[in-house]
Amino acid sequence: MYAIIDCNSFYASCERAFDPKLINKPLAILSNNDGCVISRNKEAKALGIPMGAPLFKYKEIITQKNIQIRSSNYSLYGDMSERVMKLLENFSPEVEVYSIDEAFIKLPESEDYQQVGLDIKNYIFQCTGIPVSVGIAPTKALSKAANNIVKKFPDKTNGSYAIDTEAKRIKLLKWLPINDIWGIGKGNKVRLQNKGAQTAYEFTQLTDDWVKRNMSIVGLRLKKDLEGEPTILFEDEVQNKKVIATTRSFEFTFSDKQNIKERIATFAARCAEKLRMQTSSCNVVMVYLKSDRNKKNELQHRANRILTLPYATNSTLTINEFAQKALDDIYKPGIKYKRAGVILTGLVQTDALQLDLFKNENPKHKQLMATMDTLNQKYGGRKIKMASQDLQRTWKMRQAYLSPEYTTKFSDIIVLNCRTI
Ligand SMILES: [Mg+2]
């Protein structure tokens, strides 16, 4: 069985874990430079603070309703995230970190999965003060859907829901609208609706053939997963991929190049790491940038650049060097970018590499990468990075409402005042 563990209102929960004054109070977290709201708890949501709300527009209501605000404190959130992920290893040796506040784990056999979920929730809360929702099911897509149930019915589920019978799976699929299926994009949503499917159940009733033709192999995998057949696997179970990609939507749009350079460097590093995990090297690096096409009144730009490398490599430094060159070619000032990606193709097995007579990887890189991987595996959290990656996103940022770095800075450790009675 798979479980997804999702931290509730993660940034807000991290702040609250160290500041009891925030308990049951509306709280909103601001983006870099305190521009707009990127996370808020349910109390702030109930008061009408939408995601992405620009601070200057909502100043009045924030003061009126006494909504607490904080600058984003990524050192704190990153550290708390690592703690949660580390604790999950107590429940399973197989943990796949999916995002800063979500992880899939593979659960050992149990008589009572609902209880396992509750145990996970209670343990994480006891150790970190972070509330989580746990969805459990035979596949990843179903566990995601089970997690939706937990979020929708917090009182009934008490934080955990397990799909452990066929009847529950069918009931879940009939309840789940197409919109809320994990990984269904806009195009596929429209395709399914035109075909008359409104729920996940109706999606699974379509023929494999139709799904494959209209939604590609990715759609078919999703269908199988929803049918209870584990088809979307853990990243490291997928043996030797032909393409390696790290692509993400940003929390917010970025137009300054420095921010985008940092993201590309991080994606390139992640791709190179995946490449080395399967002992491959790549010959081609592709980078793409996209603005937010939903913002019709803003300047739109989408572009990609494909660069062929002079030699096959899996060095983070070389791959990033070319990824940055590709970025230089496509980046346009003044565009608000929402999404970017680094994609590596032309993969070959590193041990079967034909050495080029003249152009080869700097031999020092191999040793450096091996050391980097070993240290990062040993200490977790990818502590060893290139200088171009975001080491401290606090650099030169406006952060007027920043909380202390409770867990990563000695000078910010909580002070307890005790007195004898
Ligand atoms: Mg979450």
Side-chain angles (χ1 to χ4, degrees), residues 302-319:
R302 33 182 54 210
N304 66 59
R305 181 88 170 99
I306 297 170
L307 292 181
T308 303
L309 305 177
Y311 43 80
T313 180
N314 59 20
S315 157
T316 302
L317 301 177
T318 311
I319 290 170

Side-chain angles (χ1 to χ4, degrees), residues 59-102:
K59 262 251 152 95
E60 208 166 306
I61 157 161
I62 284 170
T63 325
Q64 252 173 31
K65 309 261 179 184
N66 200 16
I67 296 170
Q68 301 293 309
I69 48 175
R70 294 285 181 276
S71 306
S72 38
N73 185 343
Y74 286 111
S75 310
L76 177 66
Y77 312 149
D79 185 62
M80 291 303 281
S81 168
E82 269 177 44
R83 285 168 193 237
V84 169
M85 303 310 169
K86 194 90 199 136
L87 290 167
L88 289 176
E89 288 171 12
N90 289 320
F91 294 91
S92 168
E94 291 171 274
V95 177
E96 183 182 59
V97 177
Y98 184 63
S99 69
I100 191 165
D101 72 333
E102 282 171 286

Side-chain angles (χ1 to χ4, degrees), residues 74-75 77-86 89 95 97 99-100 266 269-270 273 372-386 389-391 408:
Y74 286 111
S75 310
Y77 312 149
D79 185 62
M80 291 303 281
S81 168
E82 269 177 44
R83 285 168 193 237
V84 169
M85 303 310 169
K86 194 90 199 136
E89 288 171 12
V95 177
V97 177
S99 69
I100 191 165
T266 302
R270 180 79 188 105
E273 201 182 290
M372 206 161 120
D373 290 342
T374 313
L375 288 173
N376 280 337
Q377 262 161 30
K378 191 163 169 194
Y379 297 106
R382 307 203 171 92
K383 295 256 173 8
I384 313 288
K385 295 179 179 177
M386 288 179 293
Q389 284 176 258
D390 54 350
L391 298 171
T408 50

Side-chain angles (χ1 to χ4, degrees), residues 286-352:
M286 171 179 157
V287 171
Y288 74 76
L289 277 179
K290 288 179 181 171
S291 56
D292 187 348
R293 65 172 168 195
N294 296 321
K295 303 240 167 81
K296 300 262 188 289
N297 49 353
E298 282 174 5
L299 272 180
Q300 295 291 319
H301 180 234
R302 33 182 54 210
N304 66 59
R305 181 88 170 99
I306 297 170
L307 292 181
T308 303
L309 305 177
Y311 43 80
T313 180
N314 59 20
S315 157
T316 302
L317 301 177
T318 311
I319 290 170
N320 182 49
E321 183 192 327
F322 283 87
Q324 297 293 339
K325 273 186 197 160
L327 173 65
D328 287 342
D329 283 354
I330 56 176
Y331 169 82
K332 270 194 189 171
I335 304 284
K336 292 181 177 169
Y337 289 104
K338 177 69 185 166
R339 192 175 172 86
V342 173
I343 298 166
L344 308 181
T345 58
L347 306 193
V348 288
Q349 277 305 100
T350 304
D351 45 20

Side-chain angles (χ1 to χ4, degrees), residues 116-282:
V116 172
L118 290 176
D119 290 346
I120 294 175
K121 183 199 89 167
N122 292 334
Y123 181 67
I124 299 292
F125 188 76
Q126 190 193 354
C127 298
T128 61
I130 304 288
V132 301
S133 305
V134 185
I136 298 175
T139 69
K140 281 166 97 174
L142 287 169
S143 70
K144 268 283 199 181
N147 209 294
N148 286 6
I149 299 258
V150 178
K151 292 255 162 71
K152 245 334 185 293
F153 307 103
D155 297 335
K156 276 192 194 154
T157 56
N158 198 17
S160 155
Y161 189 69
I163 303 294
D164 47 9
T165 65
E166 185 58 9
K168 277 186 176 175
R169 184 183 73 83
I170 300 290
K171 196 175 162 195
L172 171 80
L173 293 188
K174 288 187 171 168
W175 170 83
L176 189 68
I178 290 289
N179 248 345
D180 294 346
I181 301 176
W182 178 48
I184 286 267
K186 268 205 183 117
N188 280 336
K189 191 190 115 191
V190 173
R191 255 166 240 137
L192 286 170
Q193 279 168 343
N194 289 343
K195 185 77 181 158
Q198 299 295 337
T199 63
Y201 183 74
E202 286 162 353
F203 169 38
T204 58
Q205 295 311 104
L206 299 170
T207 63
D208 285 0
D209 191 48
W210 186 91
V211 173
K212 197 174 167 190
R213 244 182 312 118
N214 292 280
M215 301 171 62
S216 85
I217 189 75
V218 180
L220 185 59
R221 273 200 209 122
L222 183 57
K223 176 178 183 264
K224 297 274 170 216
D225 229 54
L226 291 171
E227 284 168 347
E229 185 186 316
T231 316
I232 305 172
L233 301 173
F234 273 28
E235 253 178 26
D236 51 5
E237 287 173 321
V238 184
Q239 292 276 311
N240 291 350
K241 291 193 191 172
K242 299 273 186 293
V243 173
I244 284 179
T246 302
T247 65
R248 297 271 186 283
S249 289
F250 307 139
E251 290 152 329
F252 272 90
T253 50
F254 290 135
S255 33
D256 66 308
K257 197 169 178 190
Q258 192 53 38
N259 256 324
I260 298 173
K261 279 174 81 77
E262 280 179 5
R263 301 318 296 150
I264 294 294
T266 302
F267 297 171
R270 180 79 188 105
C271 281
E273 201 182 290
K274 290 185 202 170
L275 201 56
R276 295 194 294 274
M277 260 167 62
Q278 64 171 45
T279 56
S280 301
S281 296
C282 69

